[in-house]
Amino acid sequence: MTLNLCVLTPNRIVWDSEVKEIILSTNSGQIRILPNHVPAAIAIDIGILRIRLNGQWLRMALMGGFARIGNNKIIILVNDAEKSSDIDPQEAQKMLELAEANVRKVEGKRQTIEANLALRQARTRIEASNAIS
Amino acid sequence: MAMAALRREGRRFAPLLSPRPIAGVRSSVVSEEDVPFGARSISTQVVRNRMKSVRNIQKITKAMKMVAASKLRAIQVRAENSRGLWQPFTALLGDTPSVDVKKNVIVTISSDKGLCGGINSTSVKISKALHKLSSGPEKETKYVVLGEKAKAQMVRDSKKDILLTISELQKNPLNYTQVSVLADDILKNVEFDALRIIFNKFQSVVSFLPTMSTVLSPEIVEREAEAGGKLGELDSYEIEGGETKAEILQNLAEFQFSCVLFNAVLENATSEQGARMSAMDSSSRNAGEMLDRLTLTYNRTRQASITTELIEIISGASALEG
């Protein structure tokens, strides 16, 4: 029994294939989805999506969105998604440093929120590109 | 006798040439007003000037067609990719355009530049028809207008109903972040029960379908879900990832609106380029036909003036001889 996973962003389809199970991180914690899950609509936070197929785990960085689980069919709609193999570690590290510096120097409520968001996104990308387990 | 025949021919041409208007190109055919009354025929200079201007117009419209064709190719790909975005929403929340709501907000999407055929007028016509359909006691309908062309047309008679107008969408290449900021703006400033987005969907290079997409506000979604029907399935879904179901539904509705708006804006831009391409194509073709007829007139005029000269010379010579 496998799940059919489809990860979509506004610009393109990032992933479309059969997988064994996935681990999502939502606003209220991490959820693991196995085949024959009850139908659910889930809000996804900025975090890592872990996909297991052929006995291996793949990581993807997701930037927030929604997931809909039908009968063994998962559709994930996110603002942006990057596979760990597509992320360049050096570049991700640089973005993280930029984001950290930005957070320290901005002021104004809206900018702080945006800077924090950018920081979390950078951290997620680093995490995704790092431990490939 | 020859003179009379020529004069008759010149007059015969004028009505033949006039009843074929060129789309978007203002030009009048060589007509009798240009010729001072009593002159024998149309001067070649006048015809030549006319030909020069028609030729220039043809070059310009041909170039515009090429530009539109290349832009179309690029944006068509993106529009088709973005179609997959809103389909899961429709599958989850259902598509119920006929839900009866109190506050309708019509979002009309149009282009900023002109010369793109009739797509903007169709969008405006449909928005106005929708406005009439959904007005009634206790119901109100307002507009949010995107794009200069629709704004110009709607400001004339529905000014008081327009809540928000946004222009110059396409100054920077369209991307999701920009559209989501726009969607955010609209959601913040506008109270609505249902949002109807009107745009031209791109079917093919020659056909554009005016389409309406509906996005319901979370309260209405709840109401319909409890009432059963298509949205009743929503209840059977477990909602996770937040504190309350209402909060998730709110986020879902906002995300849905920005996805649908993104797709609508891309499709409308694609339709605009396609319409402009076909309008410019028919313009250049008409200009070409006009040029052909002007060339014929020019040749006849030239030959007529040569004949006139010859006749004068010969009759002068024969008068001298005897």
Side-chain angles (χ1 to χ4, degrees):
Chain A
M1 285 265 32
T2 51
L3 297 163
N4 191 343
L5 175 68
C6 208
V7 180
L8 301 169
T9 68
N11 295 326
R12 62 197 178 103
I13 303 182
V14 177
W15 185 279
D16 186 7
S17 83
E18 308 261 337
V19 300
K20 293 274 174 52
E21 54 184 277
I22 66 175
I23 300 186
L24 293 167
S25 59
T26 75
N27 288 332
S28 52
Q30 303 218 343
I31 300 189
R32 180 193 200 128
I33 313 274
L34 293 169
N36 290 332
H37 197 277
V38 60
I42 305 182
I44 304 184
D45 204 8
I46 299 179
I48 309 263
L49 166 72
R50 265 168 283 201
I51 307 174
R52 181 163 90 101
L53 41 68
N54 302 334
Q56 283 202 332
W57 286 99
L58 252 83
R59 287 165 164 245
M60 213 186 288
L62 299 178
M63 306 301 175
F66 276 94
R68 174 178 169 246
I69 307 183
N71 50 352
N72 282 335
K73 190 167 164 50
I74 308 182
I75 302 183
I76 301 189
L77 286 175
V78 283
N79 291 324
D80 200 6
E82 289 177 75
K83 286 195 248 203
S84 58
S85 46
D86 289 340
I87 304 181
D88 176 22
Q90 259 91 351
E91 191 229 342
Q93 183 71 26
K94 249 190 299 179
M95 295 221 51
L96 178 65
E97 281 155 24
L98 266 171
E100 279 174 352
N102 213 17
V103 158
R104 253 168 274 148
K105 75 171 160 91
V106 292
E107 45 200 86
K109 191 151 177 244
R110 183 182 172 133
Q111 262 109 336
T112 358
I113 300 183
E114 287 181 356
N116 278 325
L117 264 182
L119 183 61
R120 285 173 68 200
Q121 286 177 350
R123 283 223 185 95
T124 313
R125 295 177 79 224
I126 296 257
E127 258 193 73
S129 70
N130 274 344
I132 318 233
S133 55
Chain B
M1 174 68 195
M3 290 295 104
L6 279 171
R7 229 176 296 136
R8 251 182 282 128
E9 283 202 281
R11 260 193 291 253
R12 218 196 317 143
F13 264 111
L16 264 184
L17 291 168
S18 40
R20 296 253 232 128
I22 291 187
V25 173
R26 293 214 162 267
S27 148
S28 61
V29 178
V30 177
S31 60
E32 298 195 1
E33 305 104 54
D34 288 18
V35 179
F37 185 68
R40 279 208 216 127
S41 59
I42 303 165
S43 130
T44 60
Q45 188 62 33
V46 167
V47 184
R48 234 198 328 221
N49 285 342
R50 195 76 65 188
M51 281 170 67
K52 194 166 78 164
S53 69
V54 172
R55 205 175 292 130
N56 284 340
I57 289 177
Q58 190 186 33
K59 283 192 201 154
I60 292 175
T61 52
K62 255 199 199 144
M64 286 181 77
K65 174 186 162 194
M66 304 270 163
V67 167
S70 70
K71 284 193 185 166
L72 175 71
R73 243 172 291 146
I75 204 172
Q76 185 178 354
V77 163
R78 296 185 65 200
E80 289 180 0
N81 282 345
S82 78
R83 274 189 200 156
L85 256 191
W86 51 263
Q87 278 153 1
F89 287 109
T90 322
L92 179 66
L93 297 171
D95 188 22
T96 46
S98 49
V99 163
D100 206 17
V101 289
K102 297 241 172 48
K103 290 217 185 99
N104 270 311
V105 172
I106 302 183
V107 181
T108 314
I109 307 189
S110 68
S111 63
D112 285 332
K113 305 209 185 111
L115 290 184
C116 50
I119 53 173
N120 292 324
S121 332
T122 39
S123 291
V124 169
K125 235 189 332 189
I126 293 201
S127 314
K128 291 196 181 158
L130 197 58
H131 179 99
K132 251 205 214 136
L133 262 180
S134 56
S135 301
E138 298 186 4
K139 290 204 268 190
E140 58 167 293
T141 320
K142 298 270 173 195
Y143 293 110
V144 169
V145 180
L146 267 70
E148 285 288 338
K149 290 285 151 188
K151 179 169 112 173
Q153 288 189 27
M154 301 194 106
V155 147
R156 253 183 279 146
D157 44 0
S158 324
K159 190 153 180 207
K160 56 184 175 55
D161 276 336
I162 300 184
L163 283 175
L164 194 59
T165 64
I166 299 154
S167 342
E168 303 212 342
L169 270 176
Q170 299 207 35
K171 213 149 103 173
N172 316 317
L174 288 169
N175 63 352
Y176 181 66
T177 335
Q178 180 197 25
V179 174
S180 58
V181 166
L182 190 63
D184 205 24
D185 261 342
I186 297 182
L187 284 170
K188 262 198 300 241
N189 297 332
V190 165
E191 259 192 49
F192 65 94
D193 282 337
L195 278 168
R196 319 245 174 210
I197 307 178
I198 301 201
F199 60 101
N200 289 84
K201 190 166 163 136
F202 182 78
Q203 304 277 77
S204 79
V205 179
V206 295
S207 100
F208 323 106
L209 262 187
T211 325
M212 174 180 87
S213 296
T214 312
V215 174
L216 299 171
S217 78
E219 295 96 22
I220 303 285
V221 171
E222 278 272 10
R223 192 184 81 186
E224 292 292 316
E226 276 152 35
K230 281 183 86 169
L231 285 174
E233 290 180 13
L234 185 60
D235 261 347
S236 70
Y237 275 71
E238 243 185 64
I239 313 271
E240 303 211 25
E243 272 89 66
T244 64
K245 182 171 169 187
E247 180 192 337
I248 304 270
L249 276 185
Q250 171 89 359
N251 280 340
L252 196 60
E254 290 179 8
F255 196 40
Q256 179 190 16
F257 178 50
S258 81
C259 285
V260 173
L261 193 64
F262 182 60
N263 181 54
V265 169
L266 275 180
E267 299 256 358
N268 203 54
T270 319
S271 305
E272 175 198 338
Q273 298 298 347
R276 184 167 297 134
M277 197 174 106
S278 69
M280 291 296 107
D281 182 41
S282 65
S283 266
S284 6
R285 215 175 316 128
N286 283 345
E289 283 175 20
M290 206 181 192
L291 207 53
D292 284 342
R293 279 172 296 189
L294 281 174
T295 311
L296 283 176
T297 317
Y298 176 66
N299 283 335
R300 275 182 218 268
T301 320
R302 188 175 49 87
Q303 288 165 354
S305 71
I306 292 176
T307 312
T308 321
E309 270 196 60
L310 272 175
I311 291 181
E312 284 178 358
I313 293 173
I314 293 176
S315 54
S318 70
L320 273 177
E321 274 175 26

